[in-house]
Amino acid sequence: MRVPARSGLGRVQLDAEELLDLLLALALAERLRSPLLLSTVGALRQKLSAAFPPEERARIGALRRRILVGPTSANITASWKAPRAAVLRPIHEAFFHQRALELTYRAGERSTQRLVEPHYLLLSWPAWYLLVWDHLRGAVRALRVDRIEAASVTAATFRVRKAEAMVASLGDIFSQL
């Protein structure tokens, strides 16, 4: 079957970050094993990846592997709220460019200032977490994105740590990853 030319998208201009966002959304759909998307997601991912030069494809693959999907967090549903829009852009930038984040994090009534390295994004539906190396604690932490009150990207860079070691250091919280 042929799709008429006028029903296609035509020429769509995406910048590199928009294309990366789209590829990461597809990676998330693949990790979730979404039955409604799996029939074409692989071909779509390949077509979008082809838009990048070969050296960028490796970077995209590495970013895709930094998105983890964990078990559903039924006990969080009542307390989860939409993350603050003002923190999403710095989180996005720090994650993509492997830059440390200075942030204000609230847990209960207590608020702390932290310097963290955002190594992985973790979806434990409905909550999103940043799996980070926390310089304040000197340890791996899983920070709920909706509890981040403020964030700014620093110039400091980091090398991505192995997911297995980071998840193992959290104990039973995300043992099903």
Side-chain angles (χ1 to χ4, degrees), residues 3-104:
V3 177
R6 64 177 178 244
S7 65
L9 288 175
R11 190 169 183 92
V12 176
Q13 296 290 325
L14 299 175
D15 65 29
E17 286 195 9
E18 290 169 332
L19 191 50
L20 274 173
D21 279 349
L22 187 52
L23 285 166
L24 292 174
L26 292 173
L28 182 60
E30 286 178 299
R31 296 255 167 93
L32 289 172
R33 292 178 172 64
S34 172
L36 296 176
L37 299 174
L38 288 180
S39 64
T40 61
V41 75
L44 182 55
R45 180 179 30 80
Q46 287 177 339
K47 288 176 185 178
L48 290 171
S49 292
F52 285 97
E55 62 275 5
E56 284 291 306
R57 290 182 198 148
R59 181 173 173 257
I60 293 164
L63 280 169
R64 289 177 67 238
R65 288 186 293 278
R66 290 176 57 206
I67 297 176
L68 308 174
V69 177
T72 300
S73 297
N75 59 340
I76 289 178
T77 303
S79 65
W80 173 257
K81 58 188 183 299
R84 296 171 188 248
V87 303
L88 293 178
R89 189 74 190 143
I91 289 170
H92 181 270
E93 184 180 337
F95 179 75
F96 279 161
H97 300 291
Q98 289 177 227
R99 301 255 183 218
L101 276 171
E102 288 181 345
L103 54 83
T104 305

Side-chain angles (χ1 to χ4, degrees), residues 93-170:
E93 184 180 337
F95 179 75
F96 279 161
H97 300 291
Q98 289 177 227
R99 301 255 183 218
L101 276 171
E102 288 181 345
L103 54 83
T104 305
Y105 188 75
R106 177 170 296 282
E109 297 300 314
R110 193 163 161 239
S111 194
T112 56
Q113 302 295 315
R114 299 175 183 224
L115 176 65
V116 301
E117 300 169 357
H119 291 265
Y120 295 89
L121 286 172
L122 169 64
L123 174 61
S124 185
W125 186 260
W128 278 97
Y129 294 85
L130 279 177
L131 194 55
V132 303
W133 176 258
D134 185 339
H135 289 260
L136 175 68
R137 305 284 188 228
V140 174
R141 292 289 189 258
L143 304 179
R144 272 182 42 182
V145 173
D146 66 322
R147 292 181 176 171
I148 298 173
E149 296 181 321
S152 61
V153 180
T154 71
T157 60
F158 61 90
R159 291 183 56 159
V160 176
R161 297 168 186 245
K162 293 190 183 296
E164 298 81 16
M166 292 187 78
V167 170
S169 70
L170 292 173

